[in-house]
Amino acid sequence: MTELNINDMLTSYDKKNLTIATVCSHSSLQIFNGARKEGFKTIGISVGEKRKYYDAFPLGKPDEFLIVDNYKDIFKYVDELKEKNAIIIPHGSFVEYLGADNFLKLDVPTFGNRNVLNWESDRNQERIWLEGAGLTMPEEIKNPKDIDKPVIVKYHGAKGGKGFFIAKTYDEFLRRIKKGKPYTIQEFVMGTRYYLHYFYSPIKEDAYKLSKGSLQLLSMDRRDETTIDEVQRLGSIAELEEIGIHPTFVVTGNIPIVMRESLLPKVFDMGAIVVEKSLELFGGIIGSFCLETVVTEELEFKVFEISARIVAGTNPYIFGSPYSELIQPDMSTGRRIAQEIKYAAKKNLLDKILT
Ligand code: AMP
């Protein structure tokens, strides 16, 4: 639990003059662009000089830069950020580079519920949350000796799929596993992948209604992962493995996608039960989140992961997606976040969406 109190943090804030700050990476172009469209000033926290790169994208460039030597130095600028009435928009790289413990201690108002980290970063807690909500997750194989079908082995804390491998037998597992690194073994789910981008507002009732607030589906993507997604250009995986070449799962990009329309009601059911369970467990997931799913040939969803903030898969949709266009034209997730902050500031509800 964070010990920081959001109302204490906000006392000195001029609510009519908020700025939006994030780390210059991941989905920052989209976040700055969305904030700009909603009339906010923006601060780009950058490790090292990155101005030149942002100059190439004037509409995705922050109004000012805060240049730090490394991410932990952000702590030295807390007062400066607060003087500027800054609200931090966390994204995957922000949390990863700062470290979860530091992120929980950062004394600057932050969009979303930071307590979600305790549930998301530990795979056992994540399973308690998602299965407790009623989602189906890939089966977990506790003992590697029980491997009797394709599995994916995931090292704890590994980001972007780094080091993950597929094994089909116990022998193969033994050959590939790196000693001393904690791991989880999951059934490798056969099907097609969809990464679903939701937005939950605890303070607005104008979308898919929940017990409190409402839910939107803003977009979806499929990740492009090297080398698994193109390895077949060289030969079948089995052929390649025989000569010692193993596929890897490192994310390099994102591909826009839509889903057959008859599956959308299930998509909303899943988002809804995840939010309802989060309200029960830790006060609710707030704002953007993503369910990472595989749809099987029986048209069932298996959810292998949740990301509790804006994901890079929303980046193809800076000008809206086929779903967000049906809510409001030209609305990215970054812009939706800015709108939520603007609305909450106006209605004096900032403490309901920031921690
Ligand atoms: P993760 O770090 O859990 O998001 O996993 C990285 C990548 O591995 C995903 O984007 C998928 O391509 C793949 N993956 C993860 N879990 C599974 C699973 N249970 N079945 C099939 N593919 C998976």
Side-chain angles (χ1 to χ4, degrees):
M1 294 288 276
T2 54
E3 280 147 35
L4 301 168
N5 180 298
I6 186 59
N7 286 311
D8 293 347
M9 277 188 270
L10 286 170
T11 40
S12 64
Y13 268 51
D14 174 359
K15 320 271 185 325
K16 293 204 171 66
N17 204 10
L18 299 171
T19 52
I20 283 187
T22 197
V23 160
C24 290
S25 183
H26 189 272
S27 46
S28 66
L29 292 165
Q30 184 200 154
I31 292 170
F32 297 137
N33 177 263
R36 176 187 291 266
K37 283 177 181 156
E38 293 301 318
F40 285 102
K41 289 270 180 256
T42 51
I43 303 171
I45 305 167
S46 165
V47 175
E49 185 57 71
K50 285 195 183 152
R51 255 177 269 254
K52 212 169 153 192
Y53 155 69
Y54 282 85
D55 281 345
F57 300 112
L59 300 181
K61 182 182 165 180
D63 292 297
E64 56 177 293
F65 285 92
L66 179 66
I67 313 270
V68 294
D69 290 334
N70 66 62
Y71 285 99
K72 313 249 162 23
D73 277 357
I74 296 173
F75 283 92
K76 295 186 191 151
Y77 297 93
V78 162
D79 290 338
E80 192 176 319
L81 286 165
K82 285 172 129 176
E83 268 159 36
K84 291 182 172 150
N85 308 302
I87 291 176
I88 301 254
I89 313 297
H91 51 56
S93 304
F94 191 138
V95 178
E96 185 189 343
Y97 297 143
L98 197 64
D101 289 350
N102 286 321
F103 176 64
L104 288 173
K105 281 188 230 143
L106 187 66
D107 184 12
V108 182
T110 298
F111 181 68
N113 184 350
R114 280 189 257 189
N115 291 325
V116 70
L117 265 184
N118 302 322
W119 291 87
E120 176 202 21
S121 54
D122 175 325
R123 286 197 191 270
N124 296 328
Q125 291 285 95
E126 185 185 39
R127 204 169 261 275
I128 291 172
W129 173 15
L130 300 184
E131 289 189 336
L135 294 182
T136 310
M137 295 187 75
E139 183 196 338
E140 192 182 332
I141 289 98
K142 294 253 194 287
N143 184 345
K145 288 191 176 135
D146 296 335
I147 297 175
D148 59 359
K149 57 185 162 195
V151 297
I152 179 163
V153 183
K154 304 180 176 189
Y155 292 108
H156 290 188
K159 287 291 170 233
K162 211 161 188 313
F164 289 10
F165 66 91
I166 300 172
K168 290 174 276 328
T169 60
Y170 178 51
D171 273 357
E172 210 178 339
F173 169 85
L174 286 179
R175 266 184 271 125
R176 302 287 313 279
I177 192 73
K178 292 206 174 65
K179 297 238 156 51
K181 285 171 100 183
Y183 60 83
T184 308
I185 308 174
Q186 265 181 15
E187 144 201 26
F188 188 93
V189 183
M190 238 73 80
T192 44
R193 289 169 299 134
Y194 292 84
Y195 299 72
L196 310 169
H197 316 144
Y198 299 88
F199 191 96
Y200 167 61
S201 169
I203 56 175
K204 294 203 78 184
E205 304 282 343
D206 55 357
Y208 187 95
K209 285 204 184 43
L210 302 186
S211 64
K212 175 183 163 198
S214 62
L215 183 70
Q216 293 171 323
L217 173 73
L218 295 185
S219 49
M220 52 184 81
D221 78 299
R222 176 165 303 161
R223 285 190 191 157
D224 212 10
E225 293 170 330
T226 187
T227 60
I228 182 86
D229 287 334
E230 298 228 27
V231 77
Q232 74 288 350
R233 298 178 76 192
L234 202 58
S236 74
I237 292 179
E239 268 174 319
L240 295 170
E241 291 205 310
E242 268 174 33
I243 53 168
I245 300 175
H246 303 285
T248 53
F249 295 85
V250 179
V251 183
T252 53
N254 303 88
I255 305 168
I257 201 162
V258 289
M259 183 177 276
R260 55 192 279 184
E261 200 169 308
S262 58
L263 290 173
L264 289 180
K266 272 194 197 168
V267 167
F268 276 96
D269 282 350
M270 292 194 301
I273 56 182
V274 165
V275 173
E276 297 292 2
K277 191 72 190 175
S278 75
L279 287 166
E280 191 187 308
L281 291 174
F282 56 86
I285 186 171
I286 298 167
S288 344
F289 68 98
C290 172
L291 292 182
E292 304 178 12
T293 73
V294 176
V295 182
T296 66
E297 62 186 321
E298 286 81 32
L299 299 180
E300 278 164 5
F301 284 85
K302 294 213 177 168
V303 179
F304 56 87
E305 184 96 78
I306 184 165
S307 291
R309 60 197 60 73
I310 183 170
V311 289
T314 59
N315 286 337
Y317 306 111
I318 286 198
F319 302 106
S321 79
Y323 301 108
S324 68
E325 280 292 295
L326 304 175
I327 303 171
Q328 185 194 319
D330 191 23
M331 186 175 67
S332 65
T333 292
R335 185 172 186 186
R336 180 67 190 83
I337 291 171
Q339 283 180 352
E340 188 80 349
I341 293 170
K342 196 161 142 184
Y343 177 83
K346 197 166 130 211
K347 301 276 178 191
N348 209 14
L349 294 170
L350 281 171
D351 62 337
K352 304 283 181 281
I353 61 159
L354 308 176
T355 50

